[in-house]
Amino acid sequence: MALPRLRNRYALAATYLATVIAVTTGFTSNVNTAFLSKGAGTLPAAPKPPTSTFLNPPHPTTTSHPMSTTDIDQTTTSIDEYVESRGGDRAIKKVLIANNGMAATKCIMSLRQWAYMEFGDEHAITFVAMATPEDLKANAEFIRLADSYVEVPGGKNLNNYANVDVITTIAQEQGVDAVWPGWGHASENPKLPNTLDEMGIRFIGPTGPVMSVLGDKIAANILAQTAKVPSIPWSGSYGGPDDGPLQAELTVEGTIPDDTFEMATCRTVEEAIEAADRIGYDNGVMIKASEGGGGKGIRFVDKPEDLKDAYIQVQNEVIGSPIFLMQLCKNARHLEVQIVGDQHGNAVALNGRDCSTQRRFQKIFEEGPPVIAPRDTFREMEKAAQRLTQSIGYIGAGTVEYLYNADTGKFFFLELNPRLQVEHPVTEGI
């Protein structure tokens, strides 16, 4: 039958939005209880004002007739009742898609399928798209699928999909209930959720403070250690009996206390040399920029005489970023766990992926479920990811990444990506 296949195909993206519009009982009822526990840029000079265009007919591929007033009223009642019955505090009926291409297309298709399954009406939620002149010229699919679109300046993404001022202005003018950022662009810019929160608009994803602290690798490792997630020896936990893992709770501002953060940071070459000596060169040492990523701000050394030059290279590659050191995990596999959390402290681990095939620190392809780790070990990885998700109050979909040593059977925290990753369809397929 086609229905189960469709349900699997759209399950993850639909569940992502469901964590915002309806939480607690309805969200967790069909999930394995073993994993459950309650608890950028500036606007371009004199840009062309955004223009809103409504597509007519609204959905040419499904129907040539717009919904009647009666249909709309019934849908509104259904969504409100759905949210209220599950303990939610806000009904989301209109969403701005602050992205384009595959991200926008998949979001609209997924949520229309979810709305049809829940309410028998795929148009229960309406979508506003952002479209650049390039998107319009290409006759992009996501524009046709949306209920309406707003034309935004073209060119680099700082003019449009990565521009927080453009996104928030459109969200307010269009009267949307929520904004979905997709991946890339502004999806990891804390300014976006912070600004939307001030406007009373829901950001479908983590809060600004949590996003900010997870974007820093030093802070993320300290939070993981606090949640009892295993960590490899590094400048914030050398593994000895008297130099155990640094731990800290988030401050009111959503940050790590400065004194704890500095204890894990190597601000000078001399501090890096001291940390490397304590970690040891047997397996080699990785020098990493806390704000690096995508293969930037990372160097490997296996002898003391190479450390100074490598440290300076990292320092120059990601200017201004704090630097830390960690032991190289040899013969490691790169495994990750898909997590989803809601604002009420619920969290679920939705299996995982093996992304070990990489080139220049960039993933080439992913496969799932991971088979290199025994089932019991991977279950512990899922539970550790869930603990971290709950301990920091993470909301939305995210990915906890680990290094797994197949020789020893041990796993170590690497990072938590505070967004839905582009490779999430692997998990949907599972």
Side-chain angles (χ1 to χ4, degrees):
M1 295 177 61
L3 186 57
R5 187 159 55 249
L6 285 171
R7 188 178 295 275
N8 289 334
R9 179 182 176 188
Y10 301 121
L12 180 57
T15 300
Y16 188 15
L17 181 60
T19 61
V20 181
I21 67 173
V23 292
T24 64
T25 307
F27 170 62
T28 61
S29 60
N30 295 321
V31 179
N32 187 337
T33 55
F35 302 135
L36 295 178
S37 175
K38 192 170 182 178
T42 59
L43 280 165
K48 177 183 177 181
T51 57
S52 179
T53 303
F54 291 85
L55 308 183
N56 188 21
H59 305 284
T61 60
T62 55
T63 176
S64 58
H65 304 287
M67 289 188 294
S68 68
T69 304
T70 303
D71 292 334
I72 294 175
D73 290 342
Q74 291 174 348
T75 299
T76 302
T77 302
S78 297
I79 293 179
D80 288 333
E81 290 177 349
Y82 182 92
V83 172
E84 183 179 357
S85 66
R86 287 160 174 79
D89 60 3
R90 184 183 305 182
I92 292 179
K93 306 165 191 172
K94 189 174 184 179
V95 177
L96 171 65
I97 309 296
N99 213 303
N100 63 343
M102 172 185 166
T105 301
K106 197 168 187 302
C107 177
I108 296 173
M109 292 179 65
S110 299
L111 295 175
R112 290 214 190 285
Q113 184 66 35
W114 176 80
Y116 179 79
M117 291 176 175
E118 290 293 340
F119 307 113
D121 179 8
E122 64 177 9
H123 303 312
I125 300 172
T126 59
F127 298 95
V128 179
M130 295 169 56
T132 64
E134 294 88 346
D135 292 322
L136 292 168
K137 184 177 180 180
N139 193 26
E141 177 75 0
F142 76 94
I143 300 175
R144 185 182 63 82
L145 290 173
D147 296 277
S148 63
Y149 71 87
V150 177
E151 186 173 352
V152 293
K156 59 184 181 180
N157 70 350
L158 287 177
N159 296 338
N160 38 73
Y161 303 110
N163 192 311
V164 172
D165 294 330
V166 169
I167 295 170
T168 53
T169 297
I170 293 173
Q172 191 170 49
E173 290 178 349
Q174 294 297 311
V176 302
D177 301 308
V179 173
W180 187 70
W183 49 83
H185 299 310
S187 64
E188 295 184 68
N189 187 342
K191 182 183 175 183
L192 181 56
N194 288 339
T195 305
L196 290 172
D197 185 60
E198 293 173 359
M199 293 178 170
I201 299 171
R202 180 76 75 194
F203 175 79
I204 303 178
T207 62
V210 169
M211 182 185 292
S212 179
V213 76
L214 289 177
D216 186 289
K217 292 179 173 59
I218 293 175
N221 273 277
I222 294 174
L223 289 175
Q225 292 177 164
T226 305
K228 309 300 182 185
V229 181
S231 62
I232 198 168
W234 69 296
S235 52
S237 175
Y238 296 101
D242 299 321
D243 52 15
L246 293 174
Q247 298 187 7
E249 300 293 338
L250 288 176
T251 64
V252 177
E253 294 78 20
T255 61
I256 295 290
D258 290 341
D259 56 343
T260 305
F261 184 90
E262 288 300 321
M263 291 174 66
T265 304
C266 299
R267 293 288 184 182
T268 65
V269 172
E270 291 71 29
E271 290 181 359
I273 292 173
E274 180 183 352
D277 289 339
R278 296 181 68 181
I279 293 171
Y281 289 91
D282 293 343
N283 291 332
V285 175
M286 303 299 294
I287 306 171
K288 303 180 72 173
S290 185
E291 298 170 3
K296 293 184 178 181
I298 181 170
R299 291 293 187 278
F300 167 77
V301 297
D302 57 3
K303 46 185 181 291
E305 53 266 32
D306 294 336
L307 191 143
K308 180 177 179 180
D309 288 343
Y311 181 93
I312 294 174
Q313 288 173 359
V314 170
Q315 200 173 42
N316 292 335
E317 202 162 84
V318 188
I319 297 174
S321 170
I323 295 175
F324 68 104
L325 272 64
M326 65 184 299
Q327 184 184 85
L328 174 69
C329 185
K330 288 187 174 181
N331 302 317
R333 298 291 287 266
H334 190 162
L335 307 183
E336 55 191 26
V337 174
Q338 182 74 60
I339 53 93
V340 179
D342 69 20
Q343 67 187 53
H344 296 270
N346 297 297
V348 61
L350 301 175
N351 212 289
R353 303 180 288 267
D354 186 333
C355 51
S356 302
T357 305
Q358 301 182 14
R359 180 175 181 268
R360 296 181 180 177
F361 307 108
Q362 292 280 9
K363 303 169 187 176
I364 297 177
F365 66 83
E366 302 210 14
E367 55 186 328
V371 295
I372 186 66
R375 182 180 295 272
D376 290 344
T377 301
F378 195 74
R379 178 64 61 88
E380 289 303 314
M381 296 170 73
E382 290 178 307
K383 290 181 178 179
Q386 181 197 3
R387 288 197 303 272
L388 175 58
T389 303
Q390 294 174 297
S391 68
I392 61 176
Y394 187 89
I395 300 172
T399 305
V400 178
E401 303 192 11
Y402 296 102
L403 295 175
Y404 173 71
N405 190 317
D407 295 333
T408 63
K410 294 182 178 180
F411 63 90
F412 308 100
F413 175 80
L414 186 60
E415 64 178 333
L416 195 166
N417 280 312
R419 55 177 168 77
L420 187 66
Q421 289 185 290
V422 67
E423 57 265 32
H424 73 271
V426 175
T427 300
E428 285 185 323
I430 298 172

Short mmCIF file of all heavy atoms in Angstrom, two decimals, residues 375-412:
data_model
loop_
_atom_site.label_atom_id
_atom_site.label_comp_id
_atom_site.label_asym_id
_atom_site.label_seq_id
_atom_site.Cartn_x
_atom_site.Cartn_y
_atom_site.Cartn_z
N ARG A 375 24.06 -3.34 18.78
CA ARG A 375 22.77 -2.73 19.08
C ARG A 375 22.75 -2.11 20.48
O ARG A 375 22.25 -0.99 20.67
CB ARG A 375 21.67 -3.79 18.97
CG ARG A 375 20.27 -3.25 19.23
CD ARG A 375 19.23 -4.35 19.10
NE ARG A 375 19.17 -4.85 17.73
CZ ARG A 375 18.40 -4.31 16.79
NH1 ARG A 375 17.65 -3.27 17.07
NH2 ARG A 375 18.39 -4.82 15.58
N ASP A 376 23.29 -2.80 21.48
CA ASP A 376 23.28 -2.27 22.85
C ASP A 376 24.12 -1.00 22.97
O ASP A 376 23.74 -0.06 23.69
CB ASP A 376 23.80 -3.33 23.83
CG ASP A 376 22.84 -4.50 24.00
OD1 ASP A 376 21.66 -4.35 23.61
OD2 ASP A 376 23.27 -5.55 24.50
N THR A 377 25.24 -0.96 22.26
CA THR A 377 26.09 0.24 22.29
C THR A 377 25.40 1.42 21.65
O THR A 377 25.41 2.54 22.18
CB THR A 377 27.43 -0.03 21.59
OG1 THR A 377 28.10 -1.12 22.23
CG2 THR A 377 28.33 1.20 21.62
N PHE A 378 24.78 1.17 20.51
CA PHE A 378 24.10 2.28 19.84
C PHE A 378 22.90 2.75 20.65
O PHE A 378 22.57 3.94 20.65
CB PHE A 378 23.66 1.89 18.43
CG PHE A 378 23.29 3.08 17.60
CD1 PHE A 378 24.26 3.92 17.11
CD2 PHE A 378 21.97 3.39 17.35
CE1 PHE A 378 23.93 5.04 16.36
CE2 PHE A 378 21.62 4.50 16.59
CZ PHE A 378 22.61 5.33 16.10
N ARG A 379 22.26 1.83 21.37
CA ARG A 379 21.16 2.24 22.26
C ARG A 379 21.67 3.20 23.33
O ARG A 379 21.01 4.19 23.67
CB ARG A 379 20.53 1.00 22.89
CG ARG A 379 19.39 1.29 23.88
CD ARG A 379 18.21 1.95 23.19
NE ARG A 379 17.64 1.11 22.16
CZ ARG A 379 16.69 0.21 22.37
NH1 ARG A 379 16.23 0.00 23.59
NH2 ARG A 379 16.19 -0.49 21.36
N GLU A 380 22.88 2.94 23.86
CA GLU A 380 23.46 3.85 24.84
C GLU A 380 23.78 5.20 24.21
O GLU A 380 23.63 6.25 24.86
CB GLU A 380 24.74 3.24 25.43
CG GLU A 380 24.49 2.06 26.35
CD GLU A 380 23.57 2.41 27.51
OE1 GLU A 380 23.78 3.49 28.12
OE2 GLU A 380 22.64 1.64 27.78
N MET A 381 24.19 5.20 22.96
CA MET A 381 24.43 6.47 22.25
C MET A 381 23.14 7.26 22.11
O MET A 381 23.13 8.49 22.26
CB MET A 381 25.06 6.18 20.89
CG MET A 381 26.44 5.52 20.97
SD MET A 381 27.05 4.92 19.38
CE MET A 381 27.45 6.46 18.57
N GLU A 382 22.06 6.57 21.82
CA GLU A 382 20.76 7.24 21.69
C GLU A 382 20.32 7.82 23.03
O GLU A 382 19.81 8.95 23.11
CB GLU A 382 19.72 6.25 21.17
CG GLU A 382 19.93 5.86 19.71
CD GLU A 382 18.92 4.84 19.24
OE1 GLU A 382 18.77 3.80 19.90
OE2 GLU A 382 18.29 5.07 18.20
N LYS A 383 20.49 7.05 24.10
CA LYS A 383 20.08 7.53 25.42
C LYS A 383 20.93 8.72 25.86
O LYS A 383 20.43 9.66 26.48
CB LYS A 383 20.18 6.39 26.43
CG LYS A 383 19.14 5.30 26.24
CD LYS A 383 19.28 4.21 27.30
CE LYS A 383 18.20 3.15 27.13
NZ LYS A 383 18.32 2.06 28.14
N ALA A 384 22.23 8.68 25.54
CA ALA A 384 23.10 9.81 25.89
C ALA A 384 22.68 11.06 25.12
O ALA A 384 22.67 12.17 25.67
CB ALA A 384 24.56 9.45 25.58
N ALA A 385 22.32 10.88 23.86
CA ALA A 385 21.85 12.01 23.05
C ALA A 385 20.56 12.58 23.63
O ALA A 385 20.36 13.80 23.66
CB ALA A 385 21.63 11.56 21.61
N GLN A 386 19.70 11.70 24.10
CA GLN A 386 18.45 12.15 24.69
C GLN A 386 18.70 12.93 25.98
O GLN A 386 18.08 13.97 26.22
CB GLN A 386 17.56 10.95 24.99
CG GLN A 386 16.22 11.32 25.59
CD GLN A 386 15.55 10.12 26.25
OE1 GLN A 386 16.13 9.03 26.29
NE2 GLN A 386 14.36 10.32 26.76
N ARG A 387 19.63 12.45 26.82
CA ARG A 387 19.95 13.17 28.07
C ARG A 387 20.45 14.58 27.77
O ARG A 387 20.05 15.54 28.43
CB ARG A 387 21.03 12.40 28.86
CG ARG A 387 20.55 11.14 29.51
CD ARG A 387 21.54 10.69 30.60
NE ARG A 387 22.89 10.51 30.08
CZ ARG A 387 23.35 9.38 29.54
NH1 ARG A 387 22.54 8.34 29.43
NH2 ARG A 387 24.59 9.29 29.13
N LEU A 388 21.33 14.68 26.78
CA LEU A 388 21.86 16.00 26.43
C LEU A 388 20.74 16.90 25.92
O LEU A 388 20.65 18.07 26.31
CB LEU A 388 22.95 15.84 25.37
CG LEU A 388 23.53 17.14 24.79
CD1 LEU A 388 24.11 18.00 25.90
CD2 LEU A 388 24.58 16.83 23.74
N THR A 389 19.88 16.38 25.08
CA THR A 389 18.76 17.15 24.54
C THR A 389 17.90 17.72 25.65
O THR A 389 17.51 18.89 25.63
CB THR A 389 17.91 16.25 23.62
OG1 THR A 389 18.73 15.71 22.58
CG2 THR A 389 16.77 17.04 22.99
N GLN A 390 17.59 16.88 26.63
CA GLN A 390 16.72 17.32 27.73
C GLN A 390 17.42 18.26 28.68
O GLN A 390 16.81 19.21 29.19
CB GLN A 390 16.20 16.10 28.48
CG GLN A 390 15.27 15.23 27.64
CD GLN A 390 14.89 13.95 28.36
OE1 GLN A 390 15.74 13.12 28.68
NE2 GLN A 390 13.61 13.79 28.63
N SER A 391 18.70 18.03 28.93
CA SER A 391 19.41 18.82 29.94
C SER A 391 19.56 20.28 29.54
O SER A 391 19.65 21.15 30.39
CB SER A 391 20.80 18.20 30.20
OG SER A 391 21.65 18.35 29.08
N ILE A 392 19.60 20.55 28.23
CA ILE A 392 19.77 21.94 27.78
C ILE A 392 18.47 22.55 27.28
O ILE A 392 18.45 23.69 26.83
CB ILE A 392 20.84 22.03 26.66
CG1 ILE A 392 20.42 21.21 25.43
CG2 ILE A 392 22.19 21.57 27.18
CD1 ILE A 392 21.39 21.33 24.27
N GLY A 393 17.37 21.79 27.35
CA GLY A 393 16.09 22.33 26.90
C GLY A 393 16.01 22.52 25.40
O GLY A 393 15.43 23.49 24.92
N TYR A 394 16.57 21.57 24.66
CA TYR A 394 16.61 21.70 23.21
C TYR A 394 15.22 21.47 22.61
O TYR A 394 14.52 20.54 22.99
CB TYR A 394 17.59 20.68 22.61
CG TYR A 394 17.81 20.86 21.13
CD1 TYR A 394 18.81 21.69 20.67
CD2 TYR A 394 17.01 20.21 20.20
CE1 TYR A 394 19.02 21.88 19.31
CE2 TYR A 394 17.20 20.39 18.84
CZ TYR A 394 18.21 21.23 18.41
OH TYR A 394 18.40 21.40 17.07
N ILE A 395 14.86 22.32 21.65
CA ILE A 395 13.56 22.24 20.98
C ILE A 395 13.77 22.04 19.49
O ILE A 395 14.57 22.73 18.87
CB ILE A 395 12.73 23.52 21.21
CG1 ILE A 395 12.49 23.75 22.71
CG2 ILE A 395 11.40 23.45 20.47
CD1 ILE A 395 11.84 25.09 23.02
N GLY A 396 13.04 21.09 18.91
CA GLY A 396 13.10 20.86 17.46
C GLY A 396 13.98 19.67 17.12
O GLY A 396 14.35 18.86 17.98
N ALA A 397 14.32 19.55 15.85
CA ALA A 397 15.16 18.46 15.37
C ALA A 397 16.62 18.86 15.41
O ALA A 397 16.97 20.01 15.16
CB ALA A 397 14.76 18.07 13.95
N GLY A 398 17.48 17.91 15.75
CA GLY A 398 18.91 18.16 15.80
C GLY A 398 19.66 16.85 15.63
O GLY A 398 19.05 15.78 15.54
N THR A 399 20.97 16.91 15.62
CA THR A 399 21.78 15.73 15.43
C THR A 399 22.94 15.73 16.42
O THR A 399 23.72 16.69 16.46
CB THR A 399 22.36 15.66 14.00
OG1 THR A 399 21.28 15.74 13.06
CG2 THR A 399 23.12 14.38 13.78
N VAL A 400 23.04 14.68 17.22
CA VAL A 400 24.17 14.50 18.12
C VAL A 400 25.18 13.60 17.41
O VAL A 400 24.85 12.49 17.00
CB VAL A 400 23.73 13.88 19.45
CG1 VAL A 400 24.95 13.65 20.36
CG2 VAL A 400 22.72 14.77 20.16
N GLU A 401 26.40 14.09 17.26
CA GLU A 401 27.42 13.36 16.52
C GLU A 401 28.47 12.78 17.48
O GLU A 401 28.86 13.43 18.45
CB GLU A 401 28.09 14.28 15.49
CG GLU A 401 27.08 14.89 14.51
CD GLU A 401 27.75 15.56 13.32
OE1 GLU A 401 28.97 15.38 13.15
OE2 GLU A 401 27.04 16.25 12.58
N TYR A 402 28.91 11.56 17.15
CA TYR A 402 29.88 10.85 17.98
C TYR A 402 31.05 10.33 17.15
O TYR A 402 30.92 10.12 15.93
CB TYR A 402 29.23 9.62 18.62
CG TYR A 402 28.11 9.87 19.59
CD1 TYR A 402 26.79 9.69 19.20
CD2 TYR A 402 28.37 10.24 20.91
CE1 TYR A 402 25.75 9.89 20.09
CE2 TYR A 402 27.33 10.44 21.81
CZ TYR A 402 26.03 10.27 21.40
OH TYR A 402 25.00 10.45 22.29
N LEU A 403 32.16 10.09 17.83
CA LEU A 403 33.24 9.28 17.30
C LEU A 403 33.13 7.91 17.96
O LEU A 403 33.03 7.82 19.19
CB LEU A 403 34.60 9.90 17.61
CG LEU A 403 34.91 11.25 16.95
CD1 LEU A 403 36.23 11.80 17.46
CD2 LEU A 403 34.92 11.11 15.44
N TYR A 404 33.14 6.86 17.16
CA TYR A 404 32.99 5.50 17.69
C TYR A 404 34.23 4.70 17.33
O TYR A 404 34.63 4.61 16.16
CB TYR A 404 31.75 4.82 17.12
CG TYR A 404 31.65 3.36 17.50
CD1 TYR A 404 31.36 2.99 18.81
CD2 TYR A 404 31.87 2.37 16.55
CE1 TYR A 404 31.29 1.66 19.16
CE2 TYR A 404 31.79 1.02 16.90
CZ TYR A 404 31.51 0.68 18.21
OH TYR A 404 31.44 -0.64 18.56
N ASN A 405 34.87 4.11 18.35
CA ASN A 405 36.05 3.28 18.15
C ASN A 405 35.61 1.82 18.13
O ASN A 405 35.24 1.26 19.16
CB ASN A 405 37.07 3.53 19.26
CG ASN A 405 38.40 2.87 18.99
OD1 ASN A 405 38.46 1.72 18.53
ND2 ASN A 405 39.48 3.59 19.26
N ALA A 406 35.67 1.21 16.96
CA ALA A 406 35.20 -0.17 16.81
C ALA A 406 36.10 -1.16 17.54
O ALA A 406 35.65 -2.24 17.94
CB ALA A 406 35.11 -0.54 15.33
N ASP A 407 37.39 -0.80 17.74
CA ASP A 407 38.32 -1.71 18.42
C ASP A 407 38.01 -1.82 19.91
O ASP A 407 38.10 -2.91 20.50
CB ASP A 407 39.76 -1.23 18.23
CG ASP A 407 40.20 -1.30 16.77
OD1 ASP A 407 39.64 -2.14 16.04
OD2 ASP A 407 41.07 -0.51 16.38
N THR A 408 37.64 -0.70 20.52
CA THR A 408 37.38 -0.69 21.96
C THR A 408 35.89 -0.73 22.29
O THR A 408 35.52 -1.01 23.43
CB THR A 408 38.00 0.56 22.61
OG1 THR A 408 37.36 1.73 22.07
CG2 THR A 408 39.49 0.62 22.32
N GLY A 409 35.04 -0.40 21.32
CA GLY A 409 33.61 -0.35 21.57
C GLY A 409 33.17 0.91 22.31
O GLY A 409 32.03 1.00 22.75
N LYS A 410 34.07 1.90 22.41
CA LYS A 410 33.75 3.13 23.13
C LYS A 410 33.31 4.22 22.14
O LYS A 410 33.73 4.24 21.00
CB LYS A 410 34.95 3.62 23.93
CG LYS A 410 35.35 2.69 25.07
CD LYS A 410 36.52 3.27 25.85
CE LYS A 410 36.90 2.38 27.02
NZ LYS A 410 38.04 2.92 27.80
N PHE A 411 32.47 5.13 22.64
CA PHE A 411 32.05 6.26 21.83
C PHE A 411 32.26 7.56 22.58
O PHE A 411 32.25 7.58 23.82
CB PHE A 411 30.58 6.12 21.39
CG PHE A 411 29.59 6.11 22.53
CD1 PHE A 411 29.01 7.29 22.99
CD2 PHE A 411 29.22 4.92 23.14
CE1 PHE A 411 28.10 7.29 24.03
CE2 PHE A 411 28.30 4.90 24.18
CZ PHE A 411 27.73 6.09 24.62
N PHE A 412 32.46 8.65 21.83
CA PHE A 412 32.77 9.94 22.43
C PHE A 412 31.98 11.04 21.73
O PHE A 412 31.83 11.03 20.51
CB PHE A 412 34.27 10.24 22.32
CG PHE A 412 35.16 9.14 22.83
CD1 PHE A 412 35.76 8.26 21.94
CD2 PHE A 412 35.38 8.98 24.18
CE1 PHE A 412 36.58 7.24 22.39
CE2 PHE A 412 36.19 7.96 24.65
CZ PHE A 412 36.79 7.09 23.75
#
